[in-house]
Amino acid sequence: MALTRTSHTRDDYSAAAPSDIRQRNRTAVLRAIYPNVWCSRAELSRITGMSKVSTSDVVAELIQDGLVTEGGYQNSPKPGKPALLVGFNARSMNVASVDISEADGMRGIVTDLAGDVLERDQEPIVEHMPLRTTQVVEFCERLVARAHAPVLGVAVATPGTVDEREGVVLAAPNLGWTDVELAALLRDRLGLEATVANDADCALFAERCFAQGSENMMLVQVAKGLGAAMLIGGNVVQGADHAAGEIGHVVVDDDGPQCVCGKRGCLETLVSTPVLERRIAQEPGHRDDVVADAGAILGRALAMPVAMSNISEVIVAGPEDVVDDGMARVVRDTINDMVRSRFIGAVNVRRSQLGADAAALGAVAFVMRDQLRIL
Ligand SMILES: [Zn+2]
């Protein structure tokens, strides 16, 4: 799996206690070699700006932890003993990740630290509304038991608004949850670090980390409703109420259909899976027109936030029967027609390539960001 590194603006290295310096040095070495760069200790010293002695100490510590491994020797035209290369050991630890955003059940994966899936499992959600947290915790527990290596952390991708720093699901109407302290529950029960994040944020971060997504990117998820997530300068935007990206209930047509929220013409009354599937069933001969109309509505709705944030890439995710390349093209053309100017270049719009694992993979990437600071 191809990986790209995200920006490193998240860290604040200003307070330099000894433990911080140690962590900073470990992070610098891991970032230099993640996911598959092999280099000598001397090269690492040059890349990180650390002294040769510090570099050797940190590398020795990381080798002891299993995160770094020694490989072959460097080909060098210079005489003398060739330098031994070190690289990242992606198999040294695993991450267990669960996506609970799908209506039909929970989807779980166990991956290595490169995001390669080693194990997968699924479990139907028996008792909806509210979903029992013990069902999620026990599913995570079973995944952890199937890990091939020590587990760095567990992660859950959930629908709804989430305080991702605290791991609290603030409101997830589809699960019947309010203020569920899921990360704390997982930590207590499993004795492992836990990350809980919104499913669209996860899918977005997966595109960034595992599919060469841009640092300034938006992901729109066409599902039962419509949600979005945004990455600015490599950081997932959370917003004042942890609700950034909740664009489904923004009115785009004053005379539009009545929405469940009480308003008329919300974006998701015009662009969502059930609405589009119903329209296609009504006009089977005009499927492409239905999808193109939806793409144009979506493109117009996204033009302003795209320009406002100077987003360079938009990813449209959703079931293939409605979200196809044709829709992505119409979204792209609509946005570019509306936004392009001498200040703003062409915006790239594409469909998600990560399939059904996207949210769970993004949750894995959040664990690596939080625990190793390498993404
Ligand atoms: Zn609404």
Side-chain angles (χ1 to χ4, degrees):
M1 182 166 285
L3 290 122
T4 45
R5 219 169 291 143
T6 63
S7 82
H8 304 149
T9 50
R10 191 179 158 83
D11 296 294
D12 178 4
Y13 295 146
S14 53
S19 61
D20 292 339
I21 294 171
R22 179 176 161 272
Q23 180 62 49
R24 181 185 64 184
N25 290 347
R26 285 171 64 95
T27 303
V29 168
L30 290 175
R31 280 179 182 166
I33 57 175
Y34 186 82
N36 45 24
V37 176
W38 290 86
C39 51
S40 69
R41 286 165 174 81
E43 281 170 327
L44 271 177
S45 164
R46 269 198 305 280
I47 295 166
T48 61
M50 288 156 50
S51 71
K52 282 187 180 165
V53 173
S54 296
T55 306
S56 286
D57 286 352
V58 172
V59 168
E61 192 183 288
L62 289 167
I63 288 174
Q64 194 156 20
D65 292 348
L67 288 166
V68 166
T69 184
E70 287 177 324
Y73 288 91
Q74 193 169 39
N75 289 323
S76 171
K78 291 181 201 160
K81 196 174 159 218
L84 188 57
L85 299 175
V86 295
F88 184 72
N89 183 8
R91 295 280 162 135
S92 61
M93 297 191 91
N94 287 175
V95 177
S97 177
V98 176
D99 176 10
I100 58 171
S101 68
E102 297 297 328
D104 54 341
M106 297 186 286
R107 166 187 289 272
I109 53 174
V110 176
T111 74
D112 66 11
L113 298 181
D116 286 330
V117 177
L118 307 173
E119 297 281 341
R120 60 174 71 243
D121 201 357
Q122 261 173 310
E123 185 174 295
I125 293 175
V126 194
E127 207 179 303
H128 276 285
M129 303 302 284
L131 171 64
R132 285 182 303 115
T133 51
T134 47
Q135 203 185 345
V136 180
V137 173
E138 281 163 12
F139 187 51
C140 288
E141 208 165 24
R142 284 208 303 283
L143 281 172
V144 167
R146 290 174 59 177
H148 300 192
V151 174
L152 178 67
V154 292
V156 177
T158 169
T161 52
V162 184
D163 180 340
E164 292 175 5
R165 193 168 285 270
E166 301 296 330
V168 178
V169 182
L170 301 172
N174 292 346
L175 305 175
W177 284 3
T178 308
D179 295 329
V180 171
E181 296 181 0
L182 189 57
L185 276 171
L186 288 164
R187 266 184 227 116
D188 287 352
R189 178 74 177 263
L190 303 177
L192 292 166
E193 289 298 335
T195 296
V196 176
N198 167 270
D199 59 328
D201 285 353
C202 290
L204 171 84
F205 203 53
E207 293 289 340
R208 169 64 183 148
C209 299
F210 302 122
Q212 284 86 43
S214 155
E215 272 199 331
N216 297 291
M217 178 170 64
M218 189 186 281
L219 178 134
V220 182
Q221 215 161 30
V222 181
K224 190 177 164 211
L226 186 100
M230 194 153 74
L231 198 74
I232 301 287
N235 293 304
V236 179
V237 177
Q238 283 264 282
D241 298 313
H242 305 278
E246 294 290 331
I247 58 171
H249 293 284
V250 176
V251 176
V252 293
D253 180 0
D254 292 335
D255 303 318
Q258 183 68 45
C259 182
V260 287
C261 75
K263 294 184 287 192
R264 295 196 83 86
C266 293
L267 184 55
E268 76 175 41
T269 65
L270 303 171
V271 188
S272 65
T273 310
V275 168
L276 295 179
E277 283 174 349
R278 195 168 57 240
R279 280 195 59 196
I280 291 168
Q282 284 164 354
E283 305 174 72
H286 295 93
R287 186 203 163 277
D288 290 353
D289 297 335
V290 169
V291 169
D293 284 353
I297 292 165
L298 190 55
R300 278 198 293 278
L302 296 179
M304 193 59 84
V306 161
M308 174 68 83
S309 314
N310 195 187
I311 293 287
S312 60
E313 186 169 29
V314 175
I315 291 159
V316 193
E320 210 167 338
D321 59 332
V322 289
V323 178
D324 59 7
D325 288 334
M327 181 190 265
R329 264 196 305 278
V330 177
V331 173
R332 180 196 63 199
D333 293 346
T334 308
I335 291 177
N336 282 315
D337 286 351
M338 294 181 73
V339 162
R340 222 161 162 177
S341 71
R342 55 187 276 234
F343 309 109
I344 298 177
V347 177
N348 176 33
V349 179
R350 63 176 170 91
R351 284 177 53 220
S352 170
Q353 302 298 318
L354 293 172
D357 282 338
L361 274 175
V364 168
F366 278 137
V367 170
M368 291 194 283
R369 180 197 68 183
D370 295 346
Q371 302 305 319
L372 298 178
R373 302 180 183 196
I374 45 179
L375 289 173

